[in-house]
Amino acid sequence: MSDTPTAPVIPRHAIAGGLILAALMLQILGFASLSPAPHLVGYGLWLATALLWVDIPARTRRQAGALVVIGLGLLVIAALRYGAAIDWPAILDGNTHVVAMLVGVSFIGLIGRDQGHKRPPGQAVMGSRGLAGTWLGVHLLGAILNLSTVFMVGDRLARRAPLTTPQLLGLNRGLSSAALWSPFFASMGVVMTLAPDMRYTGVLAFGLPLALASGLLTTLELSQRFDLTDTAGFSLSPASLLMPAGLAGLVMLFHYGLTPSLSIVAIITFLLPGVALASNLPAGPRWTLQRVHRHTLTRLPAMRGEISLFLCAGLLTRGLSTCIAAATGSEWTLFAEFGAWEAVVSFLAIVASAVAGLHPIIGVSVLASVLDLEASRHTLFACVALAAWAVGTSVGPLSGINLSLQGRYGVSGTLMMRENLRYALIMAALAVAALLTMEVRST
């Protein structure tokens, strides 16, 4: 049985799939400074999105279209009203690195199948124990592999049946809570840039207890709200952990040994397709090319929902951050001093903005731009940013995890926000208490 197409492929789907694959290859070449021209990755992905636009579900299309209109409008306002210098050729670059990673992660589907035959899903762990396994598996592995873990675990669970709300919430909370402490998350990378004098030990002491609380809260709350009897969870058995743990080990090898200058996101982008190709090569080059060809014609165009949302959200982020920076300038300071209560107000404001649809990176970046922080306050700022990121991405409809779940599994972003509101309120209260306690201990 070959992995060649069995049904006619729509020509524009084939072209779009080729553009997405080309964008991935250009992104990988860019890691070695071999990209032939800047912005080609963004142009290729946006052109593919345009070709696939009519196939995107109407709800997703409306949301993506609104993001584009608002983002472009804010850029125009920044240019015309505030005289901001806009790099117009680069406005389509937002989130392209994340989209390239998602495309690279999609090649996981080519790993471990015996010439096109799907392996049975095997025995699953059911009930609250299974839900706890889902949270813990995504949390621990996601701390290294980031968003790719959600797809590995989610796709494994989806082999049995379409994912249920408790399963989706377990995936969401398992990953988002890892932002509280993981040194490999984008959140930590942003925070290290904005607060270079932070103490990681202080962040770890703040974030790990909150992450544990997230796991306990998820298991207890969802066990009370839903009947989990028939809800399958992720097994933490060695067989289930073999592939993700092996990939995590490879990521660590590249990050600390072979390519220390590259981010985790960049390493995942080229490593997962490479592992997929290597796993197929023993069956022969022809078989490997057939599988990549099939993947390009079918799976990559099917990613249109998540690709469009990430690209359009990136344009919104660029427009909003540019407009805010142009409007506020660099002279104004939000607080004369940054203490416990200022930290609490800042945390709550960023979470509220995430509920309103803004990614926490916007709130964190804006906050950093209007503060004049002493070095001794960097750790407190880092804790505010990481806690707001963890809580905000769990509940925010435009966060990376919720955009991915929406694009991959068809769940409504509004549903995820509504189902996570109680969780977000409790986690926010715990974070506020932790911030106040942390500041008391430092005085």
Side-chain angles (χ1 to χ4, degrees), residues 255-272:
H255 184 63
Y256 286 113
L258 301 179
T259 56
S261 62
L262 293 181
S263 69
I264 296 291
V265 170
I267 292 171
I268 290 173
T269 302
F270 73 78
L271 182 61
L272 268 60

Side-chain angles (χ1 to χ4, degrees), residues 9-26:
V9 177
I10 301 174
R12 57 186 173 81
H13 284 196
I15 297 172
L19 286 169
I20 295 170
L21 181 62
L24 172 63
M25 296 172 66
L26 287 169

Side-chain angles (χ1 to χ4, degrees), residues 143-231:
I144 299 173
L145 295 176
N146 296 337
L147 199 54
S148 58
T149 305
V150 171
F151 301 135
M152 282 189 280
V153 175
D155 288 356
R156 180 182 291 270
L157 295 175
R159 290 179 195 169
R160 294 190 160 272
L163 296 183
T164 63
T165 298
Q167 290 173 318
L168 291 164
L169 292 174
L171 295 172
N172 168 295
R173 299 176 187 182
L175 184 74
S176 59
S177 56
L180 287 161
W181 63 272
S182 172
F184 307 111
F185 251 59
S187 56
M188 191 68 74
V190 171
V191 167
M192 287 178 175
T193 301
L194 298 175
D197 293 319
M198 75 169 205
R199 290 182 298 105
Y200 181 66
T201 53
V203 170
L204 205 59
F206 170 86
L208 275 180
L210 285 176
L212 177 61
S214 167
L216 293 173
L217 175 60
T218 296
T219 304
L220 294 174
E221 184 217 2
L222 297 184
S223 297
Q224 292 177 350
R225 290 175 54 198
F226 298 95
D227 181 5
L228 302 179
T229 305
D230 298 323
T231 299

Side-chain angles (χ1 to χ4, degrees), residues 1-10 14 287 289-299:
M1 182 177 180
S2 70
D3 237 12
T4 54
T6 57
V9 177
I10 301 174
W287 166 255
L289 289 174
Q290 284 179 342
R291 299 208 71 192
V292 173
H293 182 247
R294 174 67 171 172
H295 189 78
T296 303
L297 294 182
T298 57
R299 180 68 189 101

